[in-house]
Amino acid sequence: MTRSTQFPLIAVLALLGGLSAFADGFQLRWAIEHEPHVVLHLSPDQITAVGRERKLVLTAEQRENLQRFAKDVPSALGVESLGEPDCSCHISSALWTATDQVTVWTERLARDKDGSKSYYEVRLKKGFFTADANGRIYSGGQPVTWEQFETAVKSKRDDEYIQLSLPPAEPPAFAARVRALKEKHHFYYRL
């Protein structure tokens, strides 16, 4: 291979390598290092609400803190679970990154006029389930048993959609149950 044919090949390989780095979508580690953000520490009541509904009702202090980055911060933010963002451009401004923490991407928040409310509103629809930090499952903000969730998954028709949004740190026994069910029956982990 001559030097003149080497350069285009190297350029193409570099371009393809760069594309594959972004093809997988949102990368938390990269976002933490490169995107402006604020970490909010959650109260026990907020942990419960985020686990149940993926809705963070901000305290007056949290809202005031966020108003340094965005003019009209709503009183509640829709929160995504870690496995949900599948692209870097269409994610909520808030992500549940630890049991007692939500990371808020400040540049997204400035453009997010309704606080990503669709992320908690969608969880009211049939087929959307959330799991809290203790492995309890909810549908539409109401508790459901593991058996009810399992029955929904096992009886799902081909045209039905079922999603389970997981907490940032799953209890090990719960994680094992979810994996075992997922191996036998199809359902989604993300929006």
Side-chain angles (χ1 to χ4, degrees):
M1 188 177 293
T2 67
R3 181 172 259 203
S4 63
T5 59
Q6 248 181 337
F7 176 74
L9 179 61
I10 291 170
V12 168
L13 290 175
L15 178 61
L16 290 175
L19 289 175
S20 68
F22 293 102
D24 292 338
F26 178 79
Q27 298 293 322
L28 178 61
R29 185 177 300 158
W30 186 92
I32 293 288
E33 291 175 10
H34 296 95
E35 293 188 26
H37 63 279
V38 173
V39 175
L40 300 180
H41 296 276
L42 307 178
S43 70
D45 288 342
Q46 287 176 315
I47 293 169
T48 299
V50 169
R52 182 181 58 236
E53 304 171 57
R54 298 308 191 265
K55 181 178 184 178
L56 174 61
V57 177
L58 298 167
T59 65
E61 183 180 338
Q62 289 168 333
R63 192 164 182 231
E64 185 177 310
N65 182 29
L66 292 175
Q67 285 175 333
R68 294 182 302 142
F69 307 101
K71 194 174 193 171
D72 296 317
V73 176
S75 60
L77 299 177
V79 180
E80 280 187 285
S81 296
L82 276 175
E84 290 178 329
D86 57 3
C87 79
S88 295
C89 56
H90 297 293
I91 67 171
S92 171
S93 54
L95 183 67
W96 195 15
T97 49
T99 299
D100 64 346
Q101 295 178 357
V102 166
T103 299
V104 177
W105 312 109
T106 56
E107 289 179 354
R108 284 186 176 86
L109 182 65
R111 299 184 305 265
D112 189 1
K113 301 303 177 205
D114 68 357
S116 297
K117 71 180 183 178
S118 62
Y119 285 91
Y120 57 82
E121 288 178 340
V122 72
R123 305 197 197 267
L124 299 173
K125 294 182 179 180
K126 183 180 184 219
F128 286 83
F129 296 86
T130 59
D132 70 11
N134 297 310
R136 291 182 295 249
I137 300 175
Y138 300 86
S139 176
Q142 299 301 312
V144 297
T145 65
W146 172 264
E147 291 73 23
Q148 289 171 310
F149 171 69
E150 187 176 36
T151 298
V153 169
K154 288 180 176 180
S155 63
K156 177 181 84 64
R157 294 186 317 262
D158 288 339
D159 63 339
E160 288 183 304
Y161 182 87
I162 293 193
Q163 173 187 309
L164 176 63
S165 299
L166 300 171
E170 300 170 64
F174 175 75
R177 283 178 106 177
V178 170
R179 275 193 309 275
L181 182 60
K182 178 87 170 131
E183 287 174 9
K184 294 178 184 175
H185 303 279
H186 178 71
F187 59 94
Y188 293 93
Y189 283 152
R190 61 174 209 235
L191 295 174

